[in-house]
Amino acid sequence: MILISEQDYMNLAFEMAEKGKYQTWTNPLVGAVIVKNNVVLAKGYHHQFGAAHAEIDALQHLDDLKQARGATMYVSLEPCSHFGKTPPCAKKLAEVGIKAVVVGQKDPNPLVAGRGLQILRDAGIEIKVLNQTGGLNVKYNFFYQHQRPYVNVKYAMTLDGKINQQANQRSIITGKEAYQDSQQLRAEYQAILVGENTLKVDHPQLTVRQIAVYQQPWRMVLIRDVDQLKVEDYAFFKTADPILLLTSSVTRRQWPNNVEVISDRWTPNKILTLLAKRGIQSVLVEGGSQIHAEFLASGLVDEINVYLAPRIYGATGLPAIFNPTQLPYQSNAYQLVEKMELGPDMKFRLRRV
């Protein structure tokens, strides 16, 4: 394959990185391309959490490793410098004789953060950083830049702003296209949070069911009296994926091995601090109305996804983002970045300005 510019090669690295989507868990998406004499010799990407990094995957696709000597590697993210689940990529590139490395962006992870580039420089390898992300690793970058998870508030509502038809009764508001889109949205997050009422009324599983993911999101529920829950009543408890029950009470029960109960006076900030300490980079806040209100009032919401259905529920319905004790928010804090039709429904995506 013959390409004509540096940007072409980096765009190809970005395309390769996308192939690892939903599989790298807390690792970033990374793609790599090896070029010599304006010819692409090999391509690679980070396939899965714990597997070979993109640089090593690309080297493994060479017909002969000796081809790497004198070649240029284009890699979407700075090569790693530390021993983790795999050895340092930067040292391997020096060992095989790579002449130059063009990097999309520096790695914000403090375990790397320029150290990979320094290893390459010390080995006499030419370095160029383009300061481009290719739209990759938004939540990974945010986590290390802000030391907290990226927060997305998501809900479906009717034209009159209601999220269910009446109290204590589940309402299916949107159609199958919106459901499929919301499953994809779940696959992009490492934790999902709901409140006690959402658990008891909707009986959600909080799992990704239509997309193959490396690991299911952590499932989290804010609940007052945790010992009143009857595990056998909820499909939520019938899988082995991690569950965090965040409660203001003290539990005296034995719970399944995958269930952790943590007691505190929970606020949005405390929840994000807990997740940050555990390395969780993103959380999808799915409901309900009061939790959405508390997160938005906290100023800690980075994105909002709203599915709008052509229905009207009237006065008995529960309003979206509703907490009568809180002051109004700044409505200009978010801007519309995407609008799309999903069958009979609409989706609006907003991001913090």
Side-chain angles (χ1 to χ4, degrees), residues 153-155 285-297 321:
V153 160
K154 167 253 178 182
Y155 58 93
V285 185
E286 288 205 357
S289 184
Q290 185 168 330
I291 290 176
H292 286 159
E294 290 174 0
F295 265 87
L296 282 162
I321 313 178

Side-chain angles (χ1 to χ4, degrees), residues 109-266:
N109 185 337
L111 290 174
V112 186
R115 292 182 179 88
L117 297 178
Q118 192 59 52
I119 289 173
L120 298 176
R121 289 193 187 97
D122 291 345
I125 296 174
E126 299 171 24
I127 300 296
K128 184 174 184 178
V129 181
L130 300 182
N131 295 316
Q132 298 178 8
T133 67
L136 301 169
N137 304 312
V138 170
K139 301 168 189 71
Y140 175 87
N141 287 328
F142 182 94
F143 179 78
Y144 287 111
Q145 290 163 0
H146 298 274
Q147 290 78 55
R148 70 164 176 84
Y150 185 93
V151 178
N152 187 339
V153 160
K154 167 253 178 182
Y155 58 93
M157 71 176 186
T158 61
L159 292 175
D160 56 338
K162 304 301 171 59
I163 63 171
N164 71 4
Q165 194 161 17
Q166 61 185 50
N168 300 318
Q169 178 179 305
R170 185 185 181 194
S171 299
I172 307 296
I173 294 176
T174 53
K176 64 178 182 180
E177 294 89 351
Y179 170 79
Q180 290 165 353
D181 187 84
S182 68
Q183 282 287 305
Q184 181 173 322
L185 188 64
R186 277 186 180 179
E188 296 172 3
Y189 284 79
Q190 293 165 6
I192 300 174
L193 173 68
V194 298
E196 178 176 359
N197 197 54
T198 299
L199 177 68
K200 291 180 176 179
V201 174
D202 292 350
H203 283 243
Q205 296 182 50
L206 302 183
T207 53
V208 180
R209 295 186 289 280
Q210 297 195 346
I211 297 169
V213 294
Y214 173 80
Q215 181 169 321
Q216 288 287 343
W218 286 18
R219 296 170 297 159
M220 307 171 63
V221 181
L222 273 169
I223 185 164
R224 294 177 183 83
D225 189 350
V226 71
D227 284 354
Q228 295 300 311
L229 271 183
K230 295 182 179 180
V231 172
E232 61 275 12
D233 289 347
Y234 299 93
F236 177 75
F237 290 101
K238 294 179 181 178
T239 70
D241 302 303
I243 294 172
L244 290 181
L245 300 180
L246 308 180
T247 181
S248 55
S249 62
V250 176
T251 185
R252 294 175 175 80
R253 289 172 48 180
Q254 285 292 111
W255 294 89
N257 291 335
N258 65 316
V259 178
E260 184 176 2
V261 179
I262 309 176
S263 299
D264 204 336
R265 295 177 64 85
W266 292 105

Side-chain angles (χ1 to χ4, degrees), residues 291-308:
I291 290 176
H292 286 159
E294 290 174 0
F295 265 87
L296 282 162
S298 74
L300 295 169
V301 175
D302 307 294
E303 183 173 326
I304 304 170
N305 281 254
V306 182
Y307 297 91
L308 182 64

